[in-house]
Amino acid sequence: MHGPGSADWLLVALCAVTGAYCLLRMRSSVEEQRRAAGGEALMGFGMAAMAVPATVFTPPAWAWPLWVAVFGAAGLHALWAARASARHLHHVVGAGAMVHMAVAMAAAPQGAHHGGAGTPALTVVLLLYFTAYVLVTGARLAPAAAVAGGPGTGPGTGWGDRPELARACRLSMGIAMVAMLLTM
């Protein structure tokens, strides 16, 4: 999952900060927001860990099957939650992308954190999905940021209940996912 060193660290920082913000969102008073934020925090921290440069840390061989199990379970949980809201289908795709990348990393030669081992067709489909997701989410975010004093922006609003920040969080993870998939 790696390109130039400084870009790797920027990707690690973006994903870690996004994961940390998602942990803050888990304090929301709205149950649905708390549930979504938990899955997004897992995704953010998982992506940060996968993006650490191989020159700094190469995970042991047993780590990749563990990632497959963790994100496979997260995908199944999101699929179960999708019964109530189709919005969770995005989390299913995200968890599937993480499983795909972990399988590709496990198949790569030891010490190589990059490409070629994944199914090219699946990588292309995931790239198209996340690129479209980033474009649509970015377009939806722009008008929301332009509305000053809209709902959820007042002085009594907690950090976990700010819809524009939640969208920005999802947008950052979508951009990071595109960057990671491009390096496969």
Side-chain angles (χ1 to χ4, degrees):
M1 303 297 125
H2 302 287
S6 60
D8 288 343
W9 287 114
L10 288 172
L11 189 59
V12 169
L14 173 71
C15 294
V17 168
T18 300
Y21 174 69
C22 290
L23 286 179
L24 284 176
R25 286 183 38 230
M26 288 180 69
R27 297 177 50 192
S28 171
S29 59
V30 180
E31 184 178 348
E32 179 61 27
Q33 288 180 21
R34 284 193 310 268
R35 284 187 193 161
E40 290 166 1
L42 174 67
M43 188 71 65
F45 289 129
M47 289 170 65
M50 277 190 176
V52 172
T55 56
V56 174
F57 176 72
T58 300
W62 57 263
W64 301 118
L66 179 65
W67 283 104
V68 169
V70 167
F71 285 102
L76 290 174
H77 182 268
L79 189 60
W80 183 259
R83 295 174 310 117
S85 171
R87 190 171 31 180
H88 291 282
L89 291 174
H90 172 70
H91 293 135
V92 173
V93 175
M98 293 296 283
V99 167
H100 173 64
M101 288 188 286
V103 168
M105 299 268 241
Q110 186 64 18
H113 273 202
H114 57 79
T119 306
L122 181 55
T123 303
V124 169
V125 168
L126 289 169
L127 263 170
L128 291 173
Y129 172 82
F130 282 103
T131 300
Y133 179 80
V134 164
L135 292 172
V136 168
T137 303
R140 288 182 180 163
L141 185 62
V147 178
T153 60
T157 303
W159 282 99
D161 295 323
R162 307 265 320 246
E164 72 280 7
L165 290 177
R167 280 188 216 111
C169 171
R170 291 182 194 113
L171 178 63
S172 330
M173 284 196 295
I175 292 168
M177 188 64 80
V178 168
M180 291 175 78
L181 287 166
L182 280 173
T183 62
M184 287 189 66

Short mmCIF file of all heavy atoms in Angstrom, two decimals, residues 80-145:
data_model
loop_
_atom_site.label_atom_id
_atom_site.label_comp_id
_atom_site.label_asym_id
_atom_site.label_seq_id
_atom_site.Cartn_x
_atom_site.Cartn_y
_atom_site.Cartn_z
N TRP A 80 -25.49 -6.97 8.46
CA TRP A 80 -26.62 -7.18 9.37
C TRP A 80 -27.31 -5.84 9.67
O TRP A 80 -28.53 -5.76 9.67
CB TRP A 80 -26.12 -7.84 10.67
CG TRP A 80 -27.21 -8.15 11.62
CD1 TRP A 80 -27.56 -7.43 12.73
CD2 TRP A 80 -28.13 -9.24 11.57
NE1 TRP A 80 -28.62 -8.01 13.37
CE2 TRP A 80 -28.98 -9.14 12.67
CE3 TRP A 80 -28.29 -10.31 10.69
CZ2 TRP A 80 -30.00 -10.05 12.92
CZ3 TRP A 80 -29.30 -11.21 10.95
CH2 TRP A 80 -30.14 -11.08 12.04
N ALA A 81 -26.52 -4.78 9.88
CA ALA A 81 -27.09 -3.46 10.16
C ALA A 81 -27.79 -2.88 8.93
O ALA A 81 -28.69 -2.04 9.07
CB ALA A 81 -26.00 -2.51 10.63
N ALA A 82 -27.40 -3.33 7.74
CA ALA A 82 -28.01 -2.81 6.51
C ALA A 82 -29.47 -3.20 6.38
O ALA A 82 -30.21 -2.62 5.59
CB ALA A 82 -27.22 -3.28 5.29
N ARG A 83 -29.90 -4.17 7.18
CA ARG A 83 -31.33 -4.53 7.18
C ARG A 83 -32.18 -3.32 7.60
O ARG A 83 -33.26 -3.11 7.08
CB ARG A 83 -31.61 -5.68 8.15
CG ARG A 83 -30.97 -6.97 7.80
CD ARG A 83 -31.16 -8.03 8.90
NE ARG A 83 -30.80 -7.54 10.23
CZ ARG A 83 -31.65 -7.42 11.26
NH1 ARG A 83 -32.89 -7.80 11.14
NH2 ARG A 83 -31.23 -6.96 12.42
N ALA A 84 -31.66 -2.53 8.52
CA ALA A 84 -32.39 -1.37 9.02
C ALA A 84 -32.15 -0.12 8.18
O ALA A 84 -33.04 0.72 8.07
CB ALA A 84 -31.99 -1.09 10.47
N SER A 85 -30.98 0.00 7.60
CA SER A 85 -30.65 1.19 6.83
C SER A 85 -29.66 0.83 5.72
O SER A 85 -28.58 0.31 6.00
CB SER A 85 -30.04 2.26 7.74
OG SER A 85 -29.54 3.33 6.98
N ALA A 86 -30.03 1.12 4.50
CA ALA A 86 -29.17 0.82 3.34
C ALA A 86 -27.86 1.60 3.40
O ALA A 86 -26.90 1.26 2.71
CB ALA A 86 -29.90 1.12 2.05
N ARG A 87 -27.81 2.63 4.24
CA ARG A 87 -26.60 3.44 4.37
C ARG A 87 -25.41 2.59 4.83
O ARG A 87 -24.27 2.91 4.57
CB ARG A 87 -26.87 4.56 5.36
CG ARG A 87 -25.83 5.61 5.42
CD ARG A 87 -26.26 6.78 6.24
NE ARG A 87 -27.17 6.40 7.31
CZ ARG A 87 -27.69 7.23 8.18
NH1 ARG A 87 -27.40 8.48 8.10
NH2 ARG A 87 -28.51 6.82 9.13
N HIS A 88 -25.69 1.48 5.52
CA HIS A 88 -24.63 0.61 6.01
C HIS A 88 -23.98 -0.21 4.89
O HIS A 88 -22.94 -0.82 5.11
CB HIS A 88 -25.16 -0.32 7.10
CG HIS A 88 -25.52 0.41 8.35
ND1 HIS A 88 -24.58 0.83 9.25
CD2 HIS A 88 -26.72 0.81 8.83
CE1 HIS A 88 -25.19 1.45 10.25
NE2 HIS A 88 -26.48 1.45 10.02
N LEU A 89 -24.57 -0.22 3.72
CA LEU A 89 -23.97 -0.97 2.61
C LEU A 89 -22.60 -0.40 2.24
O LEU A 89 -21.72 -1.13 1.80
CB LEU A 89 -24.91 -0.99 1.41
CG LEU A 89 -26.17 -1.83 1.60
CD1 LEU A 89 -27.10 -1.68 0.40
CD2 LEU A 89 -25.82 -3.29 1.83
N HIS A 90 -22.42 0.90 2.44
CA HIS A 90 -21.11 1.51 2.19
C HIS A 90 -20.06 0.90 3.13
O HIS A 90 -18.92 0.66 2.73
CB HIS A 90 -21.17 3.03 2.36
CG HIS A 90 -19.82 3.67 2.31
ND1 HIS A 90 -19.09 3.75 1.14
CD2 HIS A 90 -19.05 4.24 3.28
CE1 HIS A 90 -17.92 4.35 1.41
NE2 HIS A 90 -17.89 4.64 2.69
N HIS A 91 -20.45 0.65 4.37
CA HIS A 91 -19.52 0.03 5.32
C HIS A 91 -19.19 -1.40 4.90
O HIS A 91 -18.07 -1.86 5.12
CB HIS A 91 -20.11 0.05 6.74
CG HIS A 91 -20.23 1.43 7.29
ND1 HIS A 91 -21.35 1.85 7.95
CD2 HIS A 91 -19.39 2.48 7.27
CE1 HIS A 91 -21.18 3.11 8.31
NE2 HIS A 91 -20.00 3.51 7.91
N VAL A 92 -20.15 -2.09 4.30
CA VAL A 92 -19.91 -3.44 3.79
C VAL A 92 -18.84 -3.39 2.69
O VAL A 92 -17.89 -4.17 2.69
CB VAL A 92 -21.21 -4.09 3.25
CG1 VAL A 92 -20.92 -5.42 2.57
CG2 VAL A 92 -22.23 -4.26 4.36
N VAL A 93 -18.98 -2.43 1.78
CA VAL A 93 -18.01 -2.28 0.69
C VAL A 93 -16.64 -1.90 1.25
O VAL A 93 -15.61 -2.44 0.83
CB VAL A 93 -18.49 -1.25 -0.35
CG1 VAL A 93 -17.43 -1.00 -1.41
CG2 VAL A 93 -19.78 -1.71 -1.00
N GLY A 94 -16.62 -0.99 2.22
CA GLY A 94 -15.35 -0.58 2.84
C GLY A 94 -14.64 -1.74 3.52
O GLY A 94 -13.43 -1.94 3.37
N ALA A 95 -15.40 -2.53 4.28
CA ALA A 95 -14.81 -3.70 4.95
C ALA A 95 -14.33 -4.71 3.91
O ALA A 95 -13.26 -5.31 4.08
CB ALA A 95 -15.82 -4.33 5.90
N GLY A 96 -15.09 -4.87 2.84
CA GLY A 96 -14.67 -5.77 1.77
C GLY A 96 -13.38 -5.31 1.12
O GLY A 96 -12.51 -6.12 0.79
N ALA A 97 -13.23 -4.00 0.96
CA ALA A 97 -11.99 -3.45 0.39
C ALA A 97 -10.81 -3.71 1.32
O ALA A 97 -9.71 -4.05 0.86
CB ALA A 97 -12.15 -1.95 0.13
N MET A 98 -11.03 -3.59 2.61
CA MET A 98 -9.96 -3.87 3.57
C MET A 98 -9.57 -5.36 3.53
O MET A 98 -8.39 -5.69 3.60
CB MET A 98 -10.40 -3.46 4.98
CG MET A 98 -10.57 -1.96 5.15
SD MET A 98 -9.05 -1.03 4.96
CE MET A 98 -8.29 -1.36 6.53
N VAL A 99 -10.56 -6.23 3.42
CA VAL A 99 -10.28 -7.67 3.30
C VAL A 99 -9.47 -7.92 2.03
O VAL A 99 -8.47 -8.64 2.04
CB VAL A 99 -11.58 -8.50 3.32
CG1 VAL A 99 -11.33 -9.93 2.88
CG2 VAL A 99 -12.22 -8.46 4.70
N HIS A 100 -9.89 -7.31 0.94
CA HIS A 100 -9.19 -7.47 -0.35
C HIS A 100 -7.73 -7.02 -0.23
O HIS A 100 -6.82 -7.71 -0.69
CB HIS A 100 -9.93 -6.66 -1.42
CG HIS A 100 -9.23 -6.60 -2.73
ND1 HIS A 100 -8.99 -7.71 -3.51
CD2 HIS A 100 -8.69 -5.55 -3.40
CE1 HIS A 100 -8.34 -7.34 -4.60
NE2 HIS A 100 -8.15 -6.04 -4.56
N MET A 101 -7.51 -5.87 0.40
CA MET A 101 -6.13 -5.38 0.54
C MET A 101 -5.31 -6.28 1.46
O MET A 101 -4.13 -6.53 1.19
CB MET A 101 -6.13 -3.94 1.05
CG MET A 101 -6.59 -2.95 -0.02
SD MET A 101 -6.40 -1.23 0.46
CE MET A 101 -7.71 -1.04 1.64
N ALA A 102 -5.92 -6.80 2.54
CA ALA A 102 -5.19 -7.69 3.44
C ALA A 102 -4.82 -8.99 2.73
O ALA A 102 -3.70 -9.50 2.91
CB ALA A 102 -6.03 -7.99 4.69
N VAL A 103 -5.73 -9.52 1.92
CA VAL A 103 -5.42 -10.74 1.16
C VAL A 103 -4.28 -10.46 0.17
O VAL A 103 -3.36 -11.26 0.02
CB VAL A 103 -6.68 -11.26 0.43
CG1 VAL A 103 -6.33 -12.32 -0.60
CG2 VAL A 103 -7.69 -11.79 1.44
N ALA A 104 -4.33 -9.29 -0.48
CA ALA A 104 -3.27 -8.93 -1.43
C ALA A 104 -1.93 -8.77 -0.72
O ALA A 104 -0.89 -9.20 -1.23
CB ALA A 104 -3.64 -7.64 -2.15
N MET A 105 -1.95 -8.20 0.48
CA MET A 105 -0.70 -8.03 1.24
C MET A 105 -0.16 -9.38 1.70
O MET A 105 1.05 -9.60 1.69
CB MET A 105 -0.95 -7.15 2.46
CG MET A 105 -1.42 -5.77 2.11
SD MET A 105 -0.08 -4.67 1.94
CE MET A 105 -0.48 -3.52 3.22
N ALA A 106 -1.05 -10.29 2.09
CA ALA A 106 -0.61 -11.62 2.52
C ALA A 106 0.02 -12.38 1.36
O ALA A 106 0.96 -13.14 1.57
CB ALA A 106 -1.79 -12.40 3.08
N ALA A 107 -0.47 -12.17 0.16
CA ALA A 107 0.04 -12.87 -1.01
C ALA A 107 1.32 -12.25 -1.56
O ALA A 107 2.04 -12.89 -2.31
CB ALA A 107 -1.03 -12.90 -2.10
N ALA A 108 1.59 -10.99 -1.17
CA ALA A 108 2.80 -10.31 -1.65
C ALA A 108 4.03 -10.92 -0.99
O ALA A 108 3.94 -11.47 0.11
CB ALA A 108 2.71 -8.82 -1.34
N PRO A 109 5.19 -10.81 -1.64
CA PRO A 109 6.42 -11.33 -1.02
C PRO A 109 6.66 -10.65 0.33
O PRO A 109 6.28 -9.50 0.53
CB PRO A 109 7.52 -10.94 -2.01
CG PRO A 109 6.81 -10.65 -3.29
CD PRO A 109 5.41 -10.25 -2.93
N GLN A 110 7.28 -11.38 1.27
CA GLN A 110 7.55 -10.85 2.61
C GLN A 110 8.30 -9.53 2.52
O GLN A 110 9.28 -9.40 1.81
CB GLN A 110 8.38 -11.86 3.42
CG GLN A 110 8.59 -11.48 4.86
CD GLN A 110 7.29 -11.42 5.66
OE1 GLN A 110 6.28 -11.97 5.27
NE2 GLN A 110 7.32 -10.75 6.78
N GLY A 111 7.81 -8.54 3.24
CA GLY A 111 8.44 -7.23 3.25
C GLY A 111 7.92 -6.29 2.18
O GLY A 111 8.19 -5.11 2.22
N ALA A 112 7.18 -6.79 1.23
CA ALA A 112 6.62 -5.93 0.18
C ALA A 112 5.18 -5.63 0.53
O ALA A 112 4.36 -6.51 0.65
CB ALA A 112 6.69 -6.62 -1.18
N HIS A 113 4.88 -4.36 0.73
CA HIS A 113 3.52 -3.94 1.08
C HIS A 113 2.76 -3.46 -0.12
O HIS A 113 1.84 -2.69 0.01
CB HIS A 113 3.59 -2.78 2.08
CG HIS A 113 3.69 -3.23 3.49
ND1 HIS A 113 3.34 -2.44 4.52
CD2 HIS A 113 4.10 -4.38 4.03
CE1 HIS A 113 3.53 -3.07 5.65
NE2 HIS A 113 4.01 -4.25 5.37
N HIS A 114 3.14 -3.82 -1.26
CA HIS A 114 2.46 -3.24 -2.42
C HIS A 114 2.08 -4.30 -3.41
O HIS A 114 2.47 -5.45 -3.35
CB HIS A 114 3.34 -2.19 -3.09
CG HIS A 114 4.67 -2.73 -3.48
ND1 HIS A 114 4.85 -3.48 -4.60
CD2 HIS A 114 5.86 -2.66 -2.87
CE1 HIS A 114 6.12 -3.84 -4.68
NE2 HIS A 114 6.75 -3.35 -3.65
N GLY A 115 1.38 -3.89 -4.30
CA GLY A 115 0.63 -4.45 -5.32
C GLY A 115 0.91 -5.69 -6.08
O GLY A 115 1.80 -6.46 -5.88
N GLY A 116 -0.05 -5.86 -6.95
CA GLY A 116 0.00 -6.90 -7.92
C GLY A 116 -0.63 -8.20 -7.48
O GLY A 116 -0.99 -9.01 -8.30
N ALA A 117 -0.76 -8.44 -6.18
CA ALA A 117 -1.25 -9.72 -5.71
C ALA A 117 -2.78 -9.79 -5.69
O ALA A 117 -3.34 -10.87 -5.66
CB ALA A 117 -0.71 -10.00 -4.32
N GLY A 118 -3.44 -8.64 -5.70
CA GLY A 118 -4.90 -8.63 -5.64
C GLY A 118 -5.51 -8.94 -6.99
O GLY A 118 -4.85 -8.95 -8.01
N THR A 119 -6.81 -9.23 -6.96
CA THR A 119 -7.54 -9.47 -8.19
C THR A 119 -7.70 -8.12 -8.91
O THR A 119 -8.37 -7.24 -8.39
CB THR A 119 -8.92 -10.07 -7.88
OG1 THR A 119 -8.74 -11.22 -7.07
CG2 THR A 119 -9.67 -10.41 -9.15
N PRO A 120 -7.11 -7.97 -10.07
CA PRO A 120 -7.17 -6.67 -10.75
C PRO A 120 -8.61 -6.18 -11.00
O PRO A 120 -8.89 -5.01 -10.81
CB PRO A 120 -6.43 -6.90 -12.05
CG PRO A 120 -5.55 -8.07 -11.79
CD PRO A 120 -6.28 -8.91 -10.79
N ALA A 121 -9.49 -7.07 -11.41
CA ALA A 121 -10.87 -6.64 -11.70
C ALA A 121 -11.54 -6.10 -10.44
O ALA A 121 -12.23 -5.08 -10.48
CB ALA A 121 -11.67 -7.79 -12.30
N LEU A 122 -11.36 -6.79 -9.32
CA LEU A 122 -11.96 -6.33 -8.07
C LEU A 122 -11.35 -5.00 -7.63
O LEU A 122 -12.08 -4.11 -7.17
CB LEU A 122 -11.78 -7.39 -6.98
CG LEU A 122 -12.38 -7.06 -5.61
CD1 LEU A 122 -13.86 -6.73 -5.72
CD2 LEU A 122 -12.16 -8.21 -4.65
N THR A 123 -10.06 -4.85 -7.80
CA THR A 123 -9.41 -3.58 -7.46
C THR A 123 -9.99 -2.44 -8.29
O THR A 123 -10.28 -1.37 -7.76
CB THR A 123 -7.88 -3.68 -7.67
OG1 THR A 123 -7.38 -4.76 -6.88
CG2 THR A 123 -7.19 -2.40 -7.28
N VAL A 124 -10.20 -2.67 -9.57
CA VAL A 124 -10.77 -1.64 -10.45
C VAL A 124 -12.20 -1.30 -10.03
O VAL A 124 -12.57 -0.12 -9.95
CB VAL A 124 -10.72 -2.09 -11.93
CG1 VAL A 124 -11.53 -1.17 -12.82
CG2 VAL A 124 -9.28 -2.17 -12.40
N VAL A 125 -12.99 -2.30 -9.71
CA VAL A 125 -14.37 -2.06 -9.28
C VAL A 125 -14.38 -1.24 -7.99
O VAL A 125 -15.14 -0.28 -7.85
CB VAL A 125 -15.14 -3.40 -9.09
CG1 VAL A 125 -16.46 -3.19 -8.37
CG2 VAL A 125 -15.37 -4.06 -10.44
N LEU A 126 -13.52 -1.60 -7.04
CA LEU A 126 -13.43 -0.85 -5.78
C LEU A 126 -12.95 0.58 -6.02
O LEU A 126 -13.47 1.52 -5.41
CB LEU A 126 -12.53 -1.58 -4.78
CG LEU A 126 -13.08 -2.87 -4.21
CD1 LEU A 126 -12.01 -3.64 -3.46
CD2 LEU A 126 -14.28 -2.59 -3.31
N LEU A 127 -11.98 0.73 -6.91
CA LEU A 127 -11.50 2.08 -7.25
C LEU A 127 -12.63 2.93 -7.83
O LEU A 127 -12.79 4.10 -7.47
CB LEU A 127 -10.36 2.00 -8.25
CG LEU A 127 -8.96 2.08 -7.67
CD1 LEU A 127 -7.93 1.76 -8.73
CD2 LEU A 127 -8.69 3.42 -7.05
N LEU A 128 -13.39 2.36 -8.74
CA LEU A 128 -14.51 3.10 -9.35
C LEU A 128 -15.55 3.47 -8.29
O LEU A 128 -16.04 4.60 -8.26
CB LEU A 128 -15.15 2.28 -10.46
CG LEU A 128 -14.31 2.09 -11.72
CD1 LEU A 128 -15.00 1.13 -12.68
CD2 LEU A 128 -14.04 3.42 -12.39
N TYR A 129 -15.87 2.53 -7.40
CA TYR A 129 -16.86 2.80 -6.35
C TYR A 129 -16.39 3.93 -5.45
O TYR A 129 -17.13 4.89 -5.20
CB TYR A 129 -17.12 1.54 -5.51
CG TYR A 129 -17.98 1.85 -4.31
CD1 TYR A 129 -19.36 1.93 -4.43
CD2 TYR A 129 -17.40 2.09 -3.06
CE1 TYR A 129 -20.14 2.26 -3.34
CE2 TYR A 129 -18.19 2.41 -1.97
CZ TYR A 129 -19.56 2.49 -2.11
OH TYR A 129 -20.33 2.83 -1.03
N PHE A 130 -15.15 3.82 -4.93
CA PHE A 130 -14.68 4.84 -3.98
C PHE A 130 -14.43 6.18 -4.65
O PHE A 130 -14.62 7.22 -4.02
CB PHE A 130 -13.45 4.34 -3.21
CG PHE A 130 -13.83 3.40 -2.11
CD1 PHE A 130 -13.65 2.04 -2.25
CD2 PHE A 130 -14.42 3.87 -0.94
CE1 PHE A 130 -14.03 1.16 -1.26
CE2 PHE A 130 -14.79 3.00 0.07
CZ PHE A 130 -14.61 1.65 -0.08
N THR A 131 -14.04 6.18 -5.92
CA THR A 131 -13.90 7.45 -6.63
C THR A 131 -15.25 8.13 -6.77
O THR A 131 -15.39 9.34 -6.50
CB THR A 131 -13.26 7.23 -8.02
OG1 THR A 131 -11.97 6.63 -7.84
CG2 THR A 131 -13.13 8.53 -8.78
N ALA A 132 -16.27 7.38 -7.16
CA ALA A 132 -17.62 7.94 -7.25
C ALA A 132 -18.10 8.39 -5.88
O ALA A 132 -18.71 9.48 -5.75
CB ALA A 132 -18.59 6.90 -7.84
N TYR A 133 -17.82 7.61 -4.84
CA TYR A 133 -18.22 7.97 -3.48
C TYR A 133 -17.59 9.30 -3.05
O TYR A 133 -18.26 10.17 -2.49
CB TYR A 133 -17.83 6.86 -2.50
CG TYR A 133 -18.19 7.18 -1.08
CD1 TYR A 133 -19.49 7.01 -0.62
CD2 TYR A 133 -17.25 7.69 -0.20
CE1 TYR A 133 -19.84 7.33 0.69
CE2 TYR A 133 -17.58 8.01 1.09
CZ TYR A 133 -18.87 7.82 1.54
OH TYR A 133 -19.21 8.16 2.82
N VAL A 134 -16.30 9.46 -3.34
CA VAL A 134 -15.59 10.69 -2.97
C VAL A 134 -16.20 11.88 -3.72
O VAL A 134 -16.43 12.95 -3.13
CB VAL A 134 -14.08 10.56 -3.27
CG1 VAL A 134 -13.39 11.90 -3.28
CG2 VAL A 134 -13.44 9.63 -2.25
N LEU A 135 -16.47 11.73 -5.00
CA LEU A 135 -17.03 12.83 -5.78
C LEU A 135 -18.43 13.22 -5.28
O LEU A 135 -18.73 14.40 -5.12
CB LEU A 135 -17.06 12.47 -7.27
CG LEU A 135 -15.69 12.34 -7.93
CD1 LEU A 135 -15.83 11.80 -9.34
CD2 LEU A 135 -14.95 13.66 -7.91
N VAL A 136 -19.27 12.23 -5.02
CA VAL A 136 -20.63 12.51 -4.55
C VAL A 136 -20.60 13.10 -3.15
O VAL A 136 -21.29 14.09 -2.86
CB VAL A 136 -21.50 11.23 -4.59
CG1 VAL A 136 -22.81 11.41 -3.86
CG2 VAL A 136 -21.74 10.81 -6.03
N THR A 137 -19.80 12.53 -2.25
CA THR A 137 -19.72 13.03 -0.88
C THR A 137 -19.15 14.44 -0.86
O THR A 137 -19.63 15.30 -0.12
CB THR A 137 -18.87 12.09 -0.01
OG1 THR A 137 -19.45 10.79 -0.05
CG2 THR A 137 -18.82 12.57 1.43
N GLY A 138 -18.13 14.70 -1.66
CA GLY A 138 -17.55 16.04 -1.75
C GLY A 138 -18.56 17.05 -2.25
O GLY A 138 -18.64 18.18 -1.75
N ALA A 139 -19.36 16.66 -3.24
CA ALA A 139 -20.39 17.58 -3.76
C ALA A 139 -21.45 17.86 -2.71
O ALA A 139 -21.95 18.98 -2.61
CB ALA A 139 -21.02 16.97 -5.01
N ARG A 140 -21.79 16.85 -1.92
CA ARG A 140 -22.79 17.05 -0.86
C ARG A 140 -22.24 17.88 0.29
O ARG A 140 -22.98 18.57 0.97
CB ARG A 140 -23.27 15.71 -0.31
CG ARG A 140 -24.15 14.97 -1.24
CD ARG A 140 -24.61 13.68 -0.63
NE ARG A 140 -25.47 12.97 -1.55
CZ ARG A 140 -25.77 11.70 -1.45
NH1 ARG A 140 -25.28 10.99 -0.45
NH2 ARG A 140 -26.55 11.12 -2.32
N LEU A 141 -20.96 17.79 0.52
CA LEU A 141 -20.34 18.51 1.62
C LEU A 141 -20.22 20.00 1.35
O LEU A 141 -20.43 20.82 2.24
CB LEU A 141 -18.96 17.92 1.92
CG LEU A 141 -18.22 18.49 3.13
CD1 LEU A 141 -19.02 18.20 4.40
CD2 LEU A 141 -16.84 17.89 3.23
N ALA A 142 -19.92 20.36 0.10
CA ALA A 142 -19.70 21.76 -0.23
C ALA A 142 -20.90 22.65 0.13
O ALA A 142 -20.71 23.65 0.81
CB ALA A 142 -19.34 21.90 -1.70
N PRO A 143 -22.13 22.33 -0.26
CA PRO A 143 -23.24 23.19 0.12
C PRO A 143 -23.49 23.20 1.63
O PRO A 143 -23.86 24.21 2.18
CB PRO A 143 -24.45 22.59 -0.60
CG PRO A 143 -23.89 21.75 -1.67
CD PRO A 143 -22.56 21.29 -1.19
N ALA A 144 -23.26 22.09 2.31
CA ALA A 144 -23.51 22.04 3.76
C ALA A 144 -22.56 22.97 4.49
O ALA A 144 -22.93 23.59 5.47
CB ALA A 144 -23.35 20.61 4.27
N ALA A 145 -21.32 23.08 4.02
CA ALA A 145 -20.36 23.95 4.68
C ALA A 145 -20.69 25.42 4.42
O ALA A 145 -20.33 26.28 5.21
CB ALA A 145 -18.96 23.64 4.17
#
